[in-house]
Amino acid sequence: MKELFDSVSNSCSELVTKKYSTSFSLAVNTLSPKIRADIYNIYGFVRFADEIVDTFHDFDKEKLMAHFERDYYFALEQGISLNPILNSFQQTVKRYNIPDHMVQAFLKSMKADLNKTEYNTKEEYDEYIYGSADVVGLMCLKVFVNGDDKMYEELKDAAMRLGSAFQKVNFLRDLKDDFELLSRSYFPNIDLGKLDKISKQLIIDEIEADFDYAYNNGILKLPVEAKFGVYMAYRYYRRLLKKLKSVPSEKIMDTRIRISDPMKINLLARSYVKYKLNII
């Protein structure tokens, strides 16, 4: 009956993904069925940790995070958890030999969000992004290459750059909530209360460089099981960035950029045509 419980756990991670992010779940659904569940499992884990630090304001976040981390390591040791999200994630970690330093880097960045509100140096900023985004890309890459260490080494820099690009787009999109509701300022040496055109363009240039590197050195070289799904996520975030570029810097704090459902379907259709024509 453990197989039934594991199946239910995987379904819970899939449900979390679909409820929290229609865009990401759309991209995951275009991955090969052989790897889809494991990407859902990774997302479920990182989403729950992120919810603790960003949403559960009426509870003791530090205790919740400590409990979450402790329960994860218990699950990893025992091979089971009654928390279905942790149960499914620990299976993926073991199945693809995801190293613990990646999980620790991720948890370190999440725990930083409990108290740290400003990133004053590039070193602090880079370390946070590595833990909150880059290692998530590396976890997914572990699934995509399925034990091919040579391919992993070839693609890992691109996976990190893509994770960084996604995170920086999120920072730019969520400036208002991060700054006004959570009192956070991730971009170093930039006054978000007075974001000017030059500062905004520097951020966009950095993101576009990450995207270009990830596309040319990673996405185009991914295994067929993963290529279309990752390309779909890339196209979605590039469209978000395009919309953010069009918003004047003085208005960006007052604007919540979204991609409409019809546009998501349009992106999916156009991306699929390019994929089938071997343009990507």
Side-chain angles (χ1 to χ4, degrees), residues 58-169:
D58 296 329
F59 303 90
D60 189 326
K61 296 179 182 180
E62 290 190 13
K63 286 185 178 179
L64 286 174
M65 180 58 75
H67 199 280
F68 185 72
E69 182 175 3
R70 189 166 58 247
D71 284 356
Y72 163 67
Y73 282 104
F74 179 83
L76 195 65
E77 176 188 343
Q78 298 297 317
I80 189 171
S81 173
L82 295 182
N83 178 330
I85 300 303
L86 295 180
N87 186 62
S88 60
F89 180 63
Q90 62 88 18
Q91 287 186 339
T92 295
V93 167
K94 290 178 177 176
R95 186 177 297 124
Y96 293 97
N97 296 313
I98 294 174
D100 188 58
H101 66 79
M102 292 184 188
V103 179
Q104 276 296 303
F106 170 74
L107 291 172
K108 182 179 180 181
S109 286
M110 292 301 98
K111 285 183 280 189
D113 277 339
L114 293 171
N115 300 298
K116 191 172 179 61
T117 57
E118 291 187 3
Y119 290 79
N120 298 312
T121 68
K122 188 175 186 303
E123 289 74 21
E124 289 180 332
Y125 171 67
D126 288 343
E127 182 181 14
Y128 178 83
I129 289 180
Y130 173 76
S132 65
D134 294 5
V135 295
V136 179
L138 293 176
M139 290 180 198
C140 292
L141 183 60
K142 282 285 187 181
V143 175
F144 297 155
V145 303
N146 192 23
D148 187 331
D149 292 336
K150 182 179 178 182
M151 182 178 291
Y152 175 82
E153 290 298 321
E154 181 183 356
L155 301 180
K156 68 178 184 179
D157 288 344
M160 292 169 62
R161 294 286 290 270
L162 187 61
S164 291
F166 288 171
Q167 182 69 296
K168 292 168 190 175
V169 170

Side-chain angles (χ1 to χ4, degrees), residues 10 24 27-43 92 95-96 139-147 222-230:
N10 289 336
F24 187 75
V28 176
N29 201 47
T30 61
L31 297 170
S32 166
K34 293 187 294 184
I35 60 174
R36 207 175 289 164
D38 289 294
I39 302 303
Y40 284 136
N41 294 345
I42 292 171
Y43 182 89
T92 295
R95 186 177 297 124
Y96 293 97
M139 290 180 198
C140 292
L141 183 60
K142 282 285 187 181
V143 175
F144 297 155
V145 303
N146 192 23
L222 280 169
V224 65
E225 293 86 357
K227 182 183 288 188
F228 179 55
V230 176

Side-chain angles (χ1 to χ4, degrees), residues 200-257:
K200 180 191 169 194
Q201 190 59 51
L202 287 173
I203 294 170
I204 289 172
D205 289 346
E206 184 178 306
I207 296 171
E208 290 186 327
D210 285 336
F211 272 136
D212 290 343
Y213 184 93
Y215 178 77
N216 292 310
N217 298 280
I219 295 174
L220 294 177
K221 301 176 182 179
L222 280 169
V224 65
E225 293 86 357
K227 182 183 288 188
F228 179 55
V230 176
Y231 179 70
M232 182 62 203
Y234 161 84
R235 286 291 305 276
Y236 170 78
Y237 269 90
R238 289 222 78 147
R239 180 54 62 94
L240 268 180
L241 183 62
K242 183 178 180 181
K243 294 191 73 171
L244 285 163
K245 287 174 67 174
S246 69
V247 179
S249 56
E250 65 272 13
K251 297 289 186 181
I252 202 163
M253 289 283 282
D254 302 319
T255 307
R256 172 69 178 186
I257 298 297

